Amino acid sequence: MKPFHSEILSTLFTQLHNQPFRIILSNSLILKQQSLNNNNSINIQNIQIRPIQIKNQLKYQFSILNKNNQIFHENKNEINLFDLILKNKFQQILFKLENKDIQFILKFKNENIFYKFIEILNKNKINLNHNREKNYLIKENINIPFLVDLNIIHPTSFKVLQNKFNKFKQINHFLDIFNETINFNKNLNIFDFGCGKSYLTFSIIYFLKEIKNLNNFNIFGIDLKKDMIDFCNDLVKKYNLQNNVQFIHENISKFNYQHYNNTLQNGDNIVISLHACNTATDMVIEKAVDMNAKYILCVPCCQHELFNQIKDNDKTNINYNILKYGIFKEKFNSLLTDSIRCLILEILGYKCNVIEFIDDEHTPKNILIKAQKMEESMITKEKKEELIKEYLQLKNTYHIKPYLERLIEKYL
């Protein structure tokens, strides 16, 4: 290893002139030593530095991650990189440039510093803008009528309303998942259970018609609130969507898709659901299984059903020390409920993925269950028996009787 000194960084900064970059300082030797000695004077895990433009002025944004995983931002006029390295004894310095990465591995020995140099070519592009434009499928600041009618964007400026920006991001996050999941070469029958004000329904319509330029779909929004259904059907008439879209006032449990066979297209059935509370999500899954849906995209919430079934006083249970605390039991109950839903779907021939789903202004960040029906040839008898064995073991461990099991017994 070679001796490391400030001139090496000065030379590199000269080469970086007018070039976007990001610097990451990490692996603090002092922080490691403090952990061993129970000393907390230095609190920094890593520092990321990048140049940004604020009102046409060049600044350097410092993003500081402390050992409690909290991030603090600070904008400065200059970088004293060598001083930062000495103060925290960072053992790794990574320069992410437009076309390559440059990494220094440092070794501190007495009063001297030695380094190893690594250079890696890459294709990453670095954005200098302070407020980087997000690559949303539904763009900001353009006139999209349904977003105006749903009070997400301003009716004249078309800017996203401040108190609706999380909803706007949520819609786009869902469309990203929808876009990467669905085969758009097939005709599509889409069922939105518990559609409410139909943010997702109208977003999918816009996405299919205006972005994908498709018309080979039917969409059904189902909800128990008649005022919401009337509101949405008024929008259908306003936008002349009667050939593709209808909203139905019905309880999820009583909905029968076969009543609409005359309007269904010969293609893939898709079931979506956003925040169907508690066992309503199980009803949605049962409806999806009943219509042999090719895709299921659902975001559960309020998973209360199993909470009182789970025994929290059984000291023989491996999770006793988790379940005895109410808030941990509540979180564990949610994970167990959704794990059971995925396992049952796998038994029924679906391939499942679980994705962290973005929050809106009313609900905390939660998960999205993405399930896709596999071809019959991919579902072996041995695999199904193995999954049933895993399910029974999970069920017996916690002495539970899931509602979804009772709903789908006839399909097993």
Side-chain angles (χ1 to χ4, degrees), residues 6 9 79-90:
S6 60
L9 296 176
I79 306 173
N80 296 314
L81 193 57
F82 194 72
D83 291 343
L84 277 174
I85 294 167
L86 289 179
K87 181 179 179 181
N88 296 275
K89 289 194 175 180
F90 288 116

Side-chain angles (χ1 to χ4, degrees), residues 100-312:
K100 64 183 176 181
D101 290 351
I102 297 174
Q103 186 174 26
F104 293 91
I105 308 296
L106 304 185
K107 183 174 182 180
F108 293 82
K109 190 172 183 180
N110 298 325
E111 299 298 320
N112 299 312
I113 310 174
F114 301 90
Y115 78 97
K116 181 168 67 173
F117 176 84
I118 302 170
E119 184 172 320
I120 304 170
L121 296 178
N122 64 49
K123 297 179 181 179
N124 293 334
K125 298 293 182 183
I126 297 175
N127 194 337
L128 260 179
N129 292 330
H130 180 50
N131 296 312
R132 286 168 286 181
E133 183 179 350
K134 303 295 187 298
N135 189 26
Y136 292 132
L137 284 169
I138 295 182
K139 304 298 183 185
E140 300 178 64
N141 303 325
I142 62 174
N143 184 9
I144 301 176
F146 87 90
L147 290 181
V148 174
D149 287 325
L150 295 178
N151 295 316
I152 292 178
I153 65 174
H154 191 274
T156 55
S157 70
F158 311 126
K159 291 184 179 295
V160 179
L161 300 176
Q162 187 174 1
N163 65 339
K164 292 294 184 180
F165 202 83
N166 282 344
K167 175 62 73 176
F168 180 78
K169 290 193 296 182
Q170 186 188 69
I171 288 168
N172 275 287
H173 188 196
F174 184 88
L175 288 179
D176 284 336
I177 297 168
F178 187 83
N179 186 36
E180 70 185 19
T181 302
I182 308 303
N183 177 4
F184 296 103
N185 294 320
K186 298 273 194 81
N187 294 330
L188 305 177
N189 300 304
I190 303 167
F191 300 83
D192 185 356
F193 287 98
C195 60
K197 208 171 180 180
S198 299
Y199 297 102
L200 289 189
T201 323
F202 284 107
S203 299
I204 291 172
I205 296 165
Y206 178 86
F207 170 74
L208 292 174
K209 291 182 80 73
E210 304 299 328
I211 298 176
K212 286 289 189 181
N213 294 316
L214 298 175
N215 202 42
N216 59 334
F217 66 89
N218 281 323
I219 294 187
F220 303 84
I222 303 99
D223 202 279
L224 195 56
K225 297 178 181 177
K226 190 174 185 306
D227 58 335
M228 292 291 187
I229 293 299
D230 291 342
F231 170 79
C232 293
N233 277 323
D234 287 343
L235 292 184
V236 168
K237 293 176 185 176
K238 179 178 179 179
Y239 302 140
N240 195 27
L241 296 170
Q242 294 93 323
N243 291 335
N244 298 96
V245 185
Q246 56 182 305
F247 288 92
I248 302 156
H249 178 225
E250 185 62 276
N251 190 308
I252 294 173
S253 63
K254 295 180 180 179
F255 177 79
N256 187 343
Y257 78 98
Q258 293 179 342
H259 291 167
Y260 303 90
N261 278 342
N262 60 328
T263 56
L264 293 179
Q265 306 220 27
N266 183 20
D268 288 339
N269 293 334
I270 302 168
V271 167
I272 67 172
S273 176
L274 180 62
H275 301 142
C277 286
N278 200 16
T279 54
T281 292
D282 300 310
M283 296 177 197
V284 170
I285 291 173
E286 189 273 331
K287 294 301 176 185
V289 172
D290 184 51
M291 68 176 70
N292 195 32
K294 180 68 175 178
Y295 307 99
I296 304 170
L297 298 172
C298 65
V299 180
C301 77
C302 308
Q303 298 94 327
H304 299 312
E305 184 224 347
L306 298 180
F307 185 85
N308 291 326
Q309 295 185 39
I310 299 171
K311 294 183 179 180
D312 52 21

Side-chain angles (χ1 to χ4, degrees), residues 377-389:
S377 59
M378 299 177 64
I379 309 166
T380 65
K381 180 181 177 182
E382 293 78 11
K383 180 62 176 175
K384 186 171 182 178
E385 288 175 350
E386 180 186 342
L387 289 168
I388 291 173
K389 184 178 178 181

